[in-house]
Amino acid sequence: MTELAPSSYLETTADAYGAVASLYADLARDSLGELPLDRSFLAVFAELVTAAGGGPVAELGCGPGYLTAHLRDLGLDAFGVDLSPVMIDLARRAYPDLRFEVGSMDALDLADGELRGIVSWYSVIHTPPGELPPYFAEFRRMLAPGGHLLLAFFESEGGPVAAFDHKVTTAYRWPLDGLADMAREAGFTEVGRMLREPCEGERFRRGHLLMRRAYGEGNEK
């Protein structure tokens, strides 16, 4: 995997999550059990990837690996990537049967079209808005034509992109339409979206976007 650029927001994010990795893992491990709508969107993603013939699926920003394991339980050939070596160590210990690697989701050592699916579950939230378009370009490069991308993020309640005081490090809330437009410009077609209200203990609404890599030049069916 590509090494992180020094003195960047990537390094800041990796260090911040590394400092709270054990606590974060304890809090996140069973979180999906209380989120039926989130699980339903993950299940739809898994069904679409499977119906298209399956293949490798990357969870980018996997943290302690609980969601990668959930994707595996949904029948997917899933592996995880995260900026934080501490998080990756926790994930490998918790799920020794799964593959986890340290890396940055905007520059991975994967071949063009290698993946059939990508899940970015609250993992682009720390990316400064001006730095985000290259992420979508990289997602498209790694996905096979027709492959699916699932994003989860904090929603800005119809307003513009806004920074907020995330408990780990600075993060951003996005309008659903704003992220959907950015993905469309990068060559994705929207399949569906979900906006849910905050559950108990949550501050903000949650946005979810399910997209498919469009068939571009040289990639037609």
Side-chain angles (χ1 to χ4, degrees), residues 56 79 105-118 134-147 188 213-214 217-219:
F79 67 96
M105 71 182 80
D106 67 331
L108 296 179
D109 187 18
L110 295 174
D112 294 358
E114 183 172 339
L115 302 176
R116 296 302 307 181
I118 291 173
Y135 282 67
F136 282 95
E138 183 69 352
F139 294 162
R140 186 185 187 280
R141 182 193 70 78
M142 293 185 290
L143 278 172
F188 287 92
R213 179 187 158 175
E217 294 182 9
N219 294 318

Side-chain angles (χ1 to χ4, degrees), residues 30-52:
D30 300 319
S31 58
L32 282 175
E34 301 174 357
L35 301 172
L37 290 176
D38 297 45
R39 293 198 310 274
S40 71
F41 227 54
L42 288 162
V44 169
F45 168 82
E47 183 174 341
L48 290 172
V49 172
T50 300

